[in-house]
Amino acid sequence: MITIDDIREAKTNLEKIREKTPITKAPSLSETFNADVYLKKENLQLTGSFKLRGAYNRIANLTEEQRAKGVVAASAGNHAQGVAYSANKFGCEATIFMPEATPLTKVTGVKSYGANVVLYGENFDEAYGAAMKFREENECEFVHPFADDDVIAGQGTISLEILEKIPDMKQIIVPIGGGGLISGIAIAAKAINPDIKIIGVVASGARGMKESYKSQTPIDSASVRTIADGIAVRDVNPKLLNIILDYVDHIVEVSDNEIANAILFLLEKHKLVVEGAGAASTAAIMHGKVEIEDSKVCAIVSGGNIDVTMISQIIEKGLVKSYRKMNLIIKLRDKPGALTELSDIFKDCGANIVQIDYDRDSIQLEFGDAQITMSLETKGEEHQKLIKDKLKGNGYRFKQI
């Protein structure tokens, strides 16, 4: 059983390499929910994620003989970078199995620390199976991403930092994938303050741990699909479930849209680049999944290794959802001046055209017609209503997309 002493020992192991990441108040969330809301910014950790803590502690506790044989791991990305960085520090060879769809930024990050990368399978569990086979064939040490006492103890050092700075913290909200992070945090936090509440957050597309928690027995998911690839774990580990049943007070879930909203919120309001898993706790607060009024709460921002193409998609969808961008398909007569007449309407409404595509050749169009697809910068819902009313008033046929 992992104890607070194990976690304090892990903290000593980590002194030389880990960043004591900031814990800062989130004013807008605090005001909105009448609570003191803090963010623990593990996205600013070395390698961009909390995973470095557990990986380094595990490798630090290996013997020289074990390190000489090398280490192997399976990961969707963040644990991989933690293992690669730690192995490099100790001068041992590392081989990392990662799902084939792992974002390029994470694959590149792992390789930059000198590890061998093998892309295998559609998800973590398939990569894990391949890594275990490699371990047997090569007789090397496996560094589990969550179901390992040294790894769990390393993650638990986050609680020590939170409660050292804010001793009267009432709740800690933690994303759950395999469960190693929340297990370490919960064990440490409850040892220091048994009354503190530990709330877990899963993605709706990977809710195995929530279902297992409710049923008090492991229930694996048939499949997982979520933008929060760091917590996209299909199978529930019985050991971790038992710890979570003993120490965690509640588990909630957030959708991909809610996670995307939180990513955009953290980018805009806090200037933080955060991946899907890292935004899950903030999403739970933003969308009222946890009761925090009159409380002092810390959301774990667990990682920041997000692919830039995903950021682009999230920003685009976020602008549309918040009525700051409007996408339209408009039909008009294909004649000189028709496009000028249309653009004059947008000019009069104070809308800026940021993208435009003119199609006159589609077989779906009548002869003499053209179809315009355009994106507009807008100033809110009322502004978009004004634009649509003007288009209708001038006889244009259009569709908002």
Side-chain angles (χ1 to χ4, degrees):
M1 187 64 189
I2 302 133
T3 67
I4 187 67
D5 290 335
D6 297 322
I7 294 169
R8 287 177 175 140
E9 183 180 332
K11 182 182 177 184
T12 300
N13 284 340
L14 290 165
E15 288 294 346
K16 293 181 181 179
I17 61 103
R18 68 99 168 86
E19 289 287 332
K20 196 171 183 180
T21 52
I23 306 168
T24 59
K25 197 168 184 179
S28 58
L29 290 175
S30 298
E31 293 169 9
T32 300
F33 294 98
N34 190 30
D36 292 330
V37 180
Y38 294 84
L39 303 176
K40 175 60 168 165
K41 300 174 181 177
E42 283 294 291
N43 62 308
L44 302 180
Q45 185 60 260
L46 290 172
T47 75
S49 162
F50 76 94
K51 287 285 191 178
L52 174 64
R53 296 173 183 264
Y56 190 90
N57 191 49
R58 170 80 167 101
I59 296 175
N61 287 336
L62 294 177
T63 66
E64 290 292 340
E65 183 180 357
Q66 288 172 320
R67 290 188 202 125
K69 293 180 179 179
V71 296
V72 62
S75 170
N78 288 333
H79 178 64
Q81 292 186 73
V83 172
Y85 179 93
S86 303
N88 183 273
K89 282 292 182 181
F90 284 100
C92 70
E93 185 175 358
T95 301
I96 316 292
F97 286 78
M98 307 177 76
E100 293 173 1
T102 300
L104 179 61
T105 182
K106 294 185 178 181
V107 175
T108 304
V110 174
K111 290 181 177 180
S112 72
Y113 298 123
N116 305 311
V117 175
V118 180
L119 297 177
Y120 184 92
E122 294 185 2
N123 52 48
F124 162 77
D125 299 281
E126 293 180 5
Y128 171 81
M132 293 303 290
K133 183 179 179 182
F134 180 92
R135 173 201 182 189
E136 292 173 8
E137 293 172 349
N138 294 274
E139 298 183 346
C140 54
E141 289 295 320
F142 182 73
V143 184
H144 200 286
F146 45 84
D148 179 277
D149 286 0
D150 288 334
V151 170
I152 294 168
Q155 322 305 25
T157 59
I158 293 173
S159 273
L160 302 184
E161 293 174 16
I162 293 171
L163 296 177
E164 181 182 274
K165 182 170 181 178
I166 310 171
D168 60 341
M169 187 68 69
K170 303 299 183 186
Q171 298 184 60
I172 303 177
I173 304 174
V174 190
I176 301 180
L181 174 61
I182 197 169
S183 294
I185 284 176
I187 290 169
K190 295 281 189 177
I192 296 169
N193 176 12
D195 294 327
I196 196 168
K197 301 297 182 186
I198 307 296
I199 311 298
V201 185
V202 301
S204 294
R207 57 202 308 269
M209 189 61 81
K210 183 187 177 189
E211 293 297 316
S212 300
Y213 182 84
K214 182 179 179 182
S215 302
Q216 299 191 21
T217 188
I219 300 174
D220 298 337
S221 302
S223 63
V224 293
R225 183 175 180 179
T226 172
I227 63 171
D229 57 284
I231 53 175
V233 178
R234 185 188 67 192
D235 298 337
V236 174
N237 184 280
K239 173 181 177 175
L240 274 297
L241 175 60
N242 287 335
I243 295 174
I244 288 169
L245 287 171
D246 287 340
Y247 288 94
V248 173
D249 295 281
H250 189 45
I251 295 178
V252 300
E253 68 178 86
V254 289
S255 69
D256 275 4
N257 280 337
E258 290 166 341
I259 291 170
N261 289 346
I263 291 172
L264 190 59
F265 168 81
L266 290 166
L267 183 63
E268 283 196 302
K269 301 297 184 182
H270 292 272
K271 315 311 174 193
L272 293 175
V273 176
V274 178
E275 63 188 275
S281 297
T282 305
I285 293 173
M286 288 175 61
H287 296 278
K289 302 300 177 74
V290 289
E291 177 54 55
I292 65 169
E293 188 173 359
D294 295 325
S295 186
K296 189 168 285 189
V297 184
C298 184
I300 306 298
V301 182
S302 59
N305 295 315
I306 187 170
D307 190 78
V308 292
T309 57
M310 178 63 72
I311 294 177
S312 176
Q313 290 178 40
I314 287 169
I315 291 173
E316 176 71 19
K317 291 182 179 181
L319 291 173
V320 172
K321 189 173 182 180
S322 60
Y323 301 102
R324 287 178 287 173
K325 191 170 185 180
M326 186 181 195
N327 297 318
L328 296 169
I329 296 176
I330 306 169
K331 287 186 178 180
L332 71 165
R333 297 297 294 169
D334 183 22
K335 63 178 184 178
L339 187 56
T340 301
E341 293 173 5
L342 177 62
S343 63
D344 283 343
I345 292 175
F346 298 131
K347 178 183 176 182
D348 293 341
C349 292
N352 187 35
I353 300 172
V354 294
Q355 186 175 342
I356 187 167
D357 180 65
Y358 193 97
D359 179 13
R360 61 193 299 188
D361 301 320
S362 172
I363 59 173
Q364 297 177 347
L365 293 170
E366 298 290 337
F367 287 103
D369 283 350
Q371 180 171 279
I372 304 293
T373 304
M374 57 172 49
S375 296
L376 309 171
E377 284 182 342
T378 56
K379 303 169 186 175
E381 189 173 5
E382 286 301 315
H383 190 204
Q384 290 194 5
K385 184 178 183 302
L386 171 66
I387 293 167
K388 288 186 283 187
D389 288 344
K390 287 282 188 180
L391 289 173
K392 289 176 184 176
N394 283 275
Y396 286 99
R397 292 175 293 163
F398 65 91
K399 178 171 68 173
Q400 188 169 357
I401 55 174

Short mmCIF file of all heavy atoms in Angstrom, two decimals, residues 155-200:
data_model
loop_
_atom_site.label_atom_id
_atom_site.label_comp_id
_atom_site.label_asym_id
_atom_site.label_seq_id
_atom_site.Cartn_x
_atom_site.Cartn_y
_atom_site.Cartn_z
N GLN A 155 3.18 10.93 -8.59
CA GLN A 155 2.06 11.84 -8.91
C GLN A 155 1.50 12.48 -7.64
O GLN A 155 1.02 13.62 -7.66
CB GLN A 155 0.93 11.09 -9.64
CG GLN A 155 1.32 10.04 -10.65
CD GLN A 155 2.25 10.46 -11.76
OE1 GLN A 155 3.02 11.39 -11.63
NE2 GLN A 155 2.20 9.73 -12.88
N GLY A 156 1.59 11.75 -6.53
CA GLY A 156 1.06 12.28 -5.27
C GLY A 156 1.79 13.50 -4.76
O GLY A 156 1.27 14.24 -3.90
N THR A 157 3.00 13.76 -5.27
CA THR A 157 3.75 14.94 -4.83
C THR A 157 3.03 16.24 -5.19
O THR A 157 3.29 17.28 -4.59
CB THR A 157 5.17 14.95 -5.43
OG1 THR A 157 5.08 14.95 -6.87
CG2 THR A 157 5.96 13.73 -4.98
N ILE A 158 2.10 16.16 -6.13
CA ILE A 158 1.31 17.35 -6.48
C ILE A 158 0.50 17.82 -5.28
O ILE A 158 0.39 19.02 -5.00
CB ILE A 158 0.39 17.04 -7.68
CG1 ILE A 158 1.23 16.80 -8.94
CG2 ILE A 158 -0.60 18.18 -7.92
CD1 ILE A 158 0.44 16.32 -10.13
N SER A 159 -0.09 16.87 -4.54
CA SER A 159 -0.87 17.23 -3.35
C SER A 159 0.00 17.93 -2.31
O SER A 159 -0.45 18.88 -1.65
CB SER A 159 -1.49 15.98 -2.72
OG SER A 159 -2.73 15.68 -3.30
N LEU A 160 1.23 17.44 -2.13
CA LEU A 160 2.12 18.06 -1.15
C LEU A 160 2.34 19.53 -1.49
O LEU A 160 2.33 20.39 -0.60
CB LEU A 160 3.46 17.33 -1.11
CG LEU A 160 3.43 15.83 -0.78
CD1 LEU A 160 4.85 15.27 -0.68
CD2 LEU A 160 2.66 15.55 0.51
N GLU A 161 2.51 19.83 -2.77
CA GLU A 161 2.74 21.22 -3.19
C GLU A 161 1.49 22.08 -3.00
O GLU A 161 1.58 23.23 -2.58
CB GLU A 161 3.21 21.24 -4.64
CG GLU A 161 4.58 20.62 -4.83
CD GLU A 161 4.99 20.50 -6.30
OE1 GLU A 161 4.35 21.17 -7.14
OE2 GLU A 161 5.92 19.75 -6.60
N ILE A 162 0.33 21.50 -3.33
CA ILE A 162 -0.92 22.26 -3.19
C ILE A 162 -1.17 22.61 -1.72
O ILE A 162 -1.44 23.77 -1.37
CB ILE A 162 -2.11 21.47 -3.75
CG1 ILE A 162 -1.99 21.31 -5.28
CG2 ILE A 162 -3.44 22.15 -3.39
CD1 ILE A 162 -3.01 20.36 -5.88
N LEU A 163 -1.08 21.61 -0.86
CA LEU A 163 -1.44 21.81 0.55
C LEU A 163 -0.34 22.53 1.33
O LEU A 163 -0.61 23.09 2.38
CB LEU A 163 -1.79 20.48 1.20
CG LEU A 163 -3.03 19.81 0.59
CD1 LEU A 163 -3.29 18.45 1.22
CD2 LEU A 163 -4.27 20.70 0.74
N GLU A 164 0.86 22.53 0.80
CA GLU A 164 1.93 23.33 1.40
C GLU A 164 1.65 24.81 1.19
O GLU A 164 1.86 25.63 2.08
CB GLU A 164 3.26 22.94 0.75
CG GLU A 164 4.47 23.68 1.30
CD GLU A 164 5.74 23.26 0.57
OE1 GLU A 164 6.34 22.25 0.98
OE2 GLU A 164 6.11 23.92 -0.43
N LYS A 165 1.12 25.14 0.00
CA LYS A 165 0.84 26.55 -0.31
C LYS A 165 -0.52 26.98 0.23
O LYS A 165 -0.67 28.11 0.72
CB LYS A 165 0.88 26.77 -1.83
CG LYS A 165 0.64 28.21 -2.22
CD LYS A 165 0.91 28.49 -3.68
CE LYS A 165 0.68 29.96 -4.01
NZ LYS A 165 0.98 30.28 -5.42
N ILE A 166 -1.53 26.10 0.12
CA ILE A 166 -2.89 26.45 0.56
C ILE A 166 -3.39 25.34 1.49
O ILE A 166 -4.10 24.42 1.05
CB ILE A 166 -3.84 26.63 -0.65
CG1 ILE A 166 -3.20 27.57 -1.68
CG2 ILE A 166 -5.20 27.17 -0.20
CD1 ILE A 166 -3.93 27.64 -2.99
N PRO A 167 -3.04 25.38 2.76
CA PRO A 167 -3.36 24.29 3.69
C PRO A 167 -4.86 24.05 3.88
O PRO A 167 -5.27 22.92 4.20
CB PRO A 167 -2.72 24.74 5.00
CG PRO A 167 -1.68 25.74 4.61
CD PRO A 167 -2.22 26.43 3.40
N ASP A 168 -5.67 25.09 3.69
CA ASP A 168 -7.11 24.94 3.94
C ASP A 168 -7.90 24.65 2.66
O ASP A 168 -9.10 24.92 2.58
CB ASP A 168 -7.68 26.17 4.64
CG ASP A 168 -7.49 27.46 3.82
OD1 ASP A 168 -6.63 27.47 2.92
OD2 ASP A 168 -8.21 28.44 4.10
N MET A 169 -7.24 24.07 1.64
CA MET A 169 -7.94 23.69 0.41
C MET A 169 -9.06 22.70 0.75
O MET A 169 -8.87 21.77 1.52
CB MET A 169 -6.96 23.06 -0.58
CG MET A 169 -7.55 22.79 -1.95
SD MET A 169 -7.93 24.31 -2.86
CE MET A 169 -6.29 24.93 -3.20
N LYS A 170 -10.24 22.92 0.15
CA LYS A 170 -11.40 22.08 0.46
C LYS A 170 -11.63 20.96 -0.55
O LYS A 170 -12.12 19.89 -0.19
CB LYS A 170 -12.68 22.94 0.53
CG LYS A 170 -12.61 24.07 1.53
CD LYS A 170 -12.41 23.58 2.95
CE LYS A 170 -12.42 24.76 3.94
NZ LYS A 170 -12.08 24.30 5.31
N GLN A 171 -11.31 21.23 -1.83
CA GLN A 171 -11.55 20.23 -2.87
C GLN A 171 -10.39 20.27 -3.89
O GLN A 171 -9.88 21.34 -4.20
CB GLN A 171 -12.85 20.51 -3.64
CG GLN A 171 -14.12 20.46 -2.81
CD GLN A 171 -15.35 20.66 -3.67
OE1 GLN A 171 -15.62 19.88 -4.59
NE2 GLN A 171 -16.11 21.70 -3.39
N ILE A 172 -10.05 19.09 -4.39
CA ILE A 172 -9.11 19.00 -5.51
C ILE A 172 -9.81 18.22 -6.62
O ILE A 172 -10.34 17.12 -6.38
CB ILE A 172 -7.80 18.30 -5.12
CG1 ILE A 172 -7.12 19.04 -3.95
CG2 ILE A 172 -6.85 18.25 -6.31
CD1 ILE A 172 -5.85 18.38 -3.45
N ILE A 173 -9.84 18.81 -7.81
CA ILE A 173 -10.55 18.20 -8.94
C ILE A 173 -9.50 17.70 -9.93
O ILE A 173 -8.64 18.46 -10.39
CB ILE A 173 -11.50 19.21 -9.59
CG1 ILE A 173 -12.47 19.76 -8.53
CG2 ILE A 173 -12.28 18.57 -10.73
CD1 ILE A 173 -13.36 20.87 -9.01
N VAL A 174 -9.61 16.41 -10.28
CA VAL A 174 -8.52 15.72 -10.97
C VAL A 174 -9.04 14.94 -12.18
O VAL A 174 -10.01 14.19 -12.05
CB VAL A 174 -7.82 14.72 -10.01
CG1 VAL A 174 -6.54 14.18 -10.63
CG2 VAL A 174 -7.55 15.35 -8.65
N PRO A 175 -8.41 15.08 -13.35
CA PRO A 175 -8.80 14.24 -14.49
C PRO A 175 -8.42 12.78 -14.25
O PRO A 175 -7.41 12.50 -13.60
CB PRO A 175 -8.00 14.83 -15.66
CG PRO A 175 -6.85 15.54 -15.02
CD PRO A 175 -7.32 16.01 -13.70
N ILE A 176 -9.25 11.87 -14.77
CA ILE A 176 -8.98 10.43 -14.61
C ILE A 176 -8.87 9.76 -15.96
O ILE A 176 -9.78 9.83 -16.79
CB ILE A 176 -10.11 9.72 -13.82
CG1 ILE A 176 -10.29 10.31 -12.44
CG2 ILE A 176 -9.79 8.23 -13.69
CD1 ILE A 176 -11.39 9.64 -11.64
N GLY A 177 -7.75 9.09 -16.18
CA GLY A 177 -7.59 8.18 -17.30
C GLY A 177 -7.46 6.78 -16.72
O GLY A 177 -8.43 6.10 -16.44
N GLY A 178 -6.21 6.37 -16.49
CA GLY A 178 -5.99 5.10 -15.81
C GLY A 178 -6.21 5.18 -14.32
O GLY A 178 -6.54 4.18 -13.69
N GLY A 179 -6.00 6.36 -13.74
CA GLY A 179 -6.27 6.55 -12.32
C GLY A 179 -5.06 6.76 -11.45
O GLY A 179 -5.19 6.96 -10.24
N GLY A 180 -3.85 6.75 -12.02
CA GLY A 180 -2.65 6.92 -11.22
C GLY A 180 -2.54 8.30 -10.61
O GLY A 180 -2.13 8.45 -9.45
N LEU A 181 -2.89 9.35 -11.37
CA LEU A 181 -2.80 10.72 -10.88
C LEU A 181 -3.73 10.94 -9.70
O LEU A 181 -3.31 11.41 -8.63
CB LEU A 181 -3.12 11.70 -12.00
CG LEU A 181 -3.20 13.18 -11.61
CD1 LEU A 181 -1.87 13.67 -11.06
CD2 LEU A 181 -3.65 14.03 -12.80
N ILE A 182 -5.00 10.58 -9.86
CA ILE A 182 -5.95 10.84 -8.78
C ILE A 182 -5.67 9.97 -7.57
O ILE A 182 -5.88 10.39 -6.43
CB ILE A 182 -7.41 10.66 -9.28
CG1 ILE A 182 -8.39 11.33 -8.29
CG2 ILE A 182 -7.75 9.19 -9.51
CD1 ILE A 182 -9.80 11.45 -8.80
N SER A 183 -5.12 8.76 -7.79
CA SER A 183 -4.79 7.90 -6.65
C SER A 183 -3.69 8.52 -5.80
O SER A 183 -3.80 8.60 -4.57
CB SER A 183 -4.35 6.52 -7.15
OG SER A 183 -5.42 5.84 -7.77
N GLY A 184 -2.61 8.97 -6.45
CA GLY A 184 -1.52 9.59 -5.70
C GLY A 184 -1.95 10.86 -5.01
O GLY A 184 -1.63 11.09 -3.83
N ILE A 185 -2.70 11.69 -5.72
CA ILE A 185 -3.18 12.95 -5.14
C ILE A 185 -4.09 12.68 -3.95
O ILE A 185 -3.99 13.31 -2.90
CB ILE A 185 -3.90 13.79 -6.21
CG1 ILE A 185 -2.87 14.44 -7.14
CG2 ILE A 185 -4.80 14.85 -5.58
CD1 ILE A 185 -3.47 15.20 -8.30
N ALA A 186 -5.00 11.72 -4.10
CA ALA A 186 -5.97 11.42 -3.04
C ALA A 186 -5.29 10.84 -1.80
O ALA A 186 -5.61 11.23 -0.66
CB ALA A 186 -7.03 10.46 -3.56
N ILE A 187 -4.36 9.91 -1.99
CA ILE A 187 -3.68 9.30 -0.84
C ILE A 187 -2.94 10.37 -0.03
O ILE A 187 -3.05 10.42 1.21
CB ILE A 187 -2.70 8.21 -1.31
CG1 ILE A 187 -3.48 6.99 -1.84
CG2 ILE A 187 -1.77 7.78 -0.18
CD1 ILE A 187 -2.62 5.97 -2.57
N ALA A 188 -2.20 11.23 -0.72
CA ALA A 188 -1.45 12.27 -0.03
C ALA A 188 -2.38 13.28 0.63
O ALA A 188 -2.19 13.64 1.81
CB ALA A 188 -0.53 12.97 -1.01
N ALA A 189 -3.38 13.74 -0.10
CA ALA A 189 -4.27 14.77 0.43
C ALA A 189 -5.06 14.28 1.63
O ALA A 189 -5.19 14.99 2.64
CB ALA A 189 -5.22 15.25 -0.68
N LYS A 190 -5.58 13.07 1.56
CA LYS A 190 -6.37 12.53 2.66
C LYS A 190 -5.51 12.25 3.89
O LYS A 190 -5.99 12.32 5.03
CB LYS A 190 -7.08 11.26 2.23
CG LYS A 190 -8.13 11.45 1.13
CD LYS A 190 -9.43 11.98 1.68
CE LYS A 190 -10.53 11.95 0.61
NZ LYS A 190 -11.84 12.40 1.12
N ALA A 191 -4.24 11.91 3.67
CA ALA A 191 -3.33 11.69 4.81
C ALA A 191 -3.07 12.99 5.56
O ALA A 191 -2.95 13.00 6.79
CB ALA A 191 -2.01 11.09 4.32
N ILE A 192 -3.02 14.09 4.81
CA ILE A 192 -2.77 15.40 5.43
C ILE A 192 -4.06 15.98 6.00
O ILE A 192 -4.07 16.54 7.10
CB ILE A 192 -2.16 16.35 4.38
CG1 ILE A 192 -0.79 15.83 3.93
CG2 ILE A 192 -2.02 17.76 4.95
CD1 ILE A 192 -0.22 16.54 2.72
N ASN A 193 -5.15 15.83 5.25
CA ASN A 193 -6.45 16.37 5.69
C ASN A 193 -7.56 15.40 5.29
O ASN A 193 -8.02 15.44 4.14
CB ASN A 193 -6.70 17.74 5.06
CG ASN A 193 -8.08 18.30 5.40
OD1 ASN A 193 -8.79 17.78 6.28
ND2 ASN A 193 -8.49 19.35 4.70
N PRO A 194 -8.00 14.55 6.20
CA PRO A 194 -9.03 13.55 5.86
C PRO A 194 -10.35 14.14 5.37
O PRO A 194 -11.14 13.43 4.73
CB PRO A 194 -9.24 12.80 7.19
CG PRO A 194 -7.98 13.04 7.97
CD PRO A 194 -7.53 14.42 7.58
N ASP A 195 -10.60 15.42 5.65
CA ASP A 195 -11.87 16.04 5.27
C ASP A 195 -11.86 16.63 3.87
O ASP A 195 -12.91 17.05 3.36
CB ASP A 195 -12.24 17.14 6.27
CG ASP A 195 -12.53 16.58 7.65
OD1 ASP A 195 -13.06 15.45 7.73
OD2 ASP A 195 -12.21 17.26 8.65
N ILE A 196 -10.70 16.69 3.24
CA ILE A 196 -10.64 17.28 1.89
C ILE A 196 -11.39 16.37 0.91
O ILE A 196 -11.40 15.16 1.04
CB ILE A 196 -9.17 17.47 1.44
CG1 ILE A 196 -9.10 18.43 0.25
CG2 ILE A 196 -8.50 16.15 1.12
CD1 ILE A 196 -7.68 18.91 -0.06
N LYS A 197 -12.06 16.99 -0.06
CA LYS A 197 -12.81 16.24 -1.07
C LYS A 197 -11.97 16.08 -2.33
O LYS A 197 -11.39 17.06 -2.82
CB LYS A 197 -14.12 16.96 -1.42
CG LYS A 197 -15.05 17.18 -0.24
CD LYS A 197 -15.53 15.88 0.37
CE LYS A 197 -16.51 16.14 1.52
NZ LYS A 197 -16.87 14.88 2.22
N ILE A 198 -11.95 14.87 -2.86
CA ILE A 198 -11.24 14.59 -4.11
C ILE A 198 -12.28 14.19 -5.15
O ILE A 198 -13.00 13.20 -4.98
CB ILE A 198 -10.21 13.45 -3.94
CG1 ILE A 198 -9.26 13.75 -2.77
CG2 ILE A 198 -9.44 13.25 -5.25
CD1 ILE A 198 -8.40 14.98 -2.95
N ILE A 199 -12.38 14.99 -6.22
CA ILE A 199 -13.37 14.77 -7.28
C ILE A 199 -12.65 14.38 -8.56
O ILE A 199 -11.74 15.07 -9.01
CB ILE A 199 -14.20 16.05 -7.54
CG1 ILE A 199 -14.74 16.63 -6.23
CG2 ILE A 199 -15.34 15.74 -8.52
CD1 ILE A 199 -15.66 15.73 -5.46
N GLY A 200 -13.06 13.26 -9.15
CA GLY A 200 -12.48 12.81 -10.41
C GLY A 200 -13.31 13.25 -11.60
O GLY A 200 -14.54 13.41 -11.48
#
